[in-house]
Amino acid sequence: MTESRRVEIEYCTQCRWLPRAAWLAQELLTTFETELTELALRPGKGGIFVVRVGDEVVWDRREQGFPEPTAVKQAVRDRVAPGKSLGHSDKPAPE
């Protein structure tokens, strides 16, 4: 498990992806109310849309496409709250 409980969403301002980043941030903050210590939105350029937990990239649009919230929630959960249930859309965390 990553020691950091800080999530950063870096999004492209040129592409106008702030609403998408803010929506994903809301989803993560709602799901991980007590587990996260901070969630930051970081403006970027050049088509970037990257989600990090601490210094670790857990989602990169260039490699994986735009994320479904469930996939990002699972990636974040696996690093900050292993074993936490994400409800009906959950797949178990790796042991």
Side-chain angles (χ1 to χ4, degrees), residues 1-6 35 37 53-54 79-80:
M1 177 168 83
T2 300
E3 289 299 316
S4 178
R5 297 169 81 190
R6 177 186 192 272
E35 291 87 1
T37 57
V53 175
R79 286 151 183 90
V80 302

Side-chain angles (χ1 to χ4, degrees), residues 46-93:
I48 194 162
F49 197 92
V50 172
V51 180
R52 294 178 184 89
V53 175
D55 294 329
E56 180 185 1
V57 173
V58 298
W59 199 275
D60 186 337
R61 180 200 64 82
R62 289 189 178 120
E63 295 176 13
Q64 299 157 287
F66 274 112
E68 290 295 323
T70 301
V72 175
K73 287 179 185 181
Q74 289 168 349
V76 170
R77 182 269 318 273
D78 292 349
R79 286 151 183 90
V80 302
K84 178 181 176 79
S85 173
L86 297 178
H88 69 279
S89 61
D90 196 16
K91 72 177 182 187

